[in-house]
Amino acid sequence: MLNQPLMEKLMAMRWQGMVEGLKSQEQDRAARGLDKSVVRALAKDSAWVRNHENIFVIGPCGVGKSFLASALAQKACRDGHSALYLRAAALLRDLALARADGSLRHLLARLSRIDVLVIDDWAMTPLNESERREVWEICEDRYQTRSTVLTSQLPVSRWHEQIVDPTIADGILDRLVHNAHRIELRGESMRKNRNPPRDQSQQ
């Protein structure tokens, strides 16, 4: 099962076997620090989903974090699992709206049933009191029963400060970190490489 944002992201990538495409980009992959053995192991039969393990994809802006997270989610769908892709800002907005209209319990229950929850751009801004309590509930509901994929520009060591409350931060990270695969990417933004600045002299 693919949700609409994930479907649109995958369609924009033209469904060209994204995991296989990652495997074929030898020079680019090496430059970004992407270990093909790790990707191959995770993508092989999506065992990480059956084992209720998480994945963190860490790195600077534009190095392919969302691409890789979506590729793994797509492969999980091909292996029979459901997936939901949300940008962190959209998730927090949805939680706030659900809190306001009384549908929060329904939204949290829905999130708890998704096999693979992809949260893109996690920990970009500090969480307020309501947000961190609801994120804790999501993590608690999914702990050892579902898998979560987080992409972030911040290293895991900085996530604690973005959650703000030390006790809740401990609870959230305890449920996320200990059974997580970490993929750390590096390099310059691929968007920059795709869109080089125009030579003013040629204008």
Side-chain angles (χ1 to χ4, degrees):
M1 171 183 166
L2 291 170
N3 69 303
Q4 190 62 28
L6 181 55
M7 179 75 79
E8 292 173 356
K9 179 176 284 290
L10 295 175
M11 288 299 290
M13 295 171 180
R14 302 180 186 277
W15 288 88
Q16 293 179 345
M18 293 192 299
V19 170
E20 291 77 5
L22 284 168
K23 294 175 184 176
S24 68
Q25 298 170 11
E26 292 287 343
Q27 185 174 355
D28 183 58
R29 184 180 59 236
R32 289 184 287 142
L34 186 59
D35 187 335
K36 67 178 181 180
S37 65
V38 172
V39 174
R40 184 181 295 115
L42 291 171
K44 183 178 179 181
D45 59 2
S46 300
W48 61 279
V49 183
R50 292 198 312 274
N51 296 332
H52 313 309
E53 297 166 349
N54 303 320
I55 296 177
F56 303 156
V57 187
I58 313 298
C61 180
V63 295
K65 299 185 301 296
S66 301
F67 182 93
L68 178 56
S70 297
L72 293 169
Q74 184 219 14
K75 182 56 168 60
C77 289
R78 287 159 56 186
D79 290 331
H81 305 286
S82 60
L84 175 67
Y85 169 93
L86 288 168
R87 297 183 69 84
L91 171 62
L92 297 177
R93 182 174 62 248
D94 288 349
L95 290 168
L97 291 172
R99 191 185 321 125
D101 68 16
S103 63
L104 182 60
R105 288 291 102 197
H106 176 75
L107 176 58
L108 292 174
R110 177 184 170 225
L111 293 174
S112 73
R113 294 191 295 268
I114 300 296
D115 294 328
V116 178
L117 177 62
V118 181
I119 303 177
D120 202 5
D121 286 333
W122 161 251
M124 292 288 285
T125 59
L127 301 179
N128 63 36
E129 182 179 355
S130 295
E131 291 169 345
R132 56 180 171 260
R133 184 174 61 249
E134 288 151 10
V135 169
W136 181 88
E137 287 198 52
I138 291 170
C139 294
E140 171 67 12
D141 288 344
R142 299 178 60 79
Y143 180 57
Q144 294 186 330
T145 63
R146 299 288 188 267
S147 295
T148 304
V149 180
L150 301 178
T151 79
S152 182
Q153 295 184 40
L154 294 181
V156 177
S157 60
R158 295 275 311 276
W159 293 1
H160 201 280
E161 66 190 64
Q162 295 295 78
I163 300 170
V164 182
D165 183 289
T167 302
I168 296 179
D170 286 344
I172 290 172
L173 295 180
D174 183 64
R175 287 159 176 77
L176 290 173
V177 171
H178 299 302
N179 63 340
H181 303 270
R182 300 192 193 189
I183 301 174
E184 298 188 9
L185 303 180
R186 61 176 184 268
E188 293 189 352
S189 172
M190 292 186 290
R191 299 185 188 96
K192 176 181 177 182
N193 294 334
R194 286 198 301 266
N195 300 287
R198 297 178 63 184
D199 187 341
Q200 297 295 322
S201 65
Q202 296 179 4
Q203 296 183 10

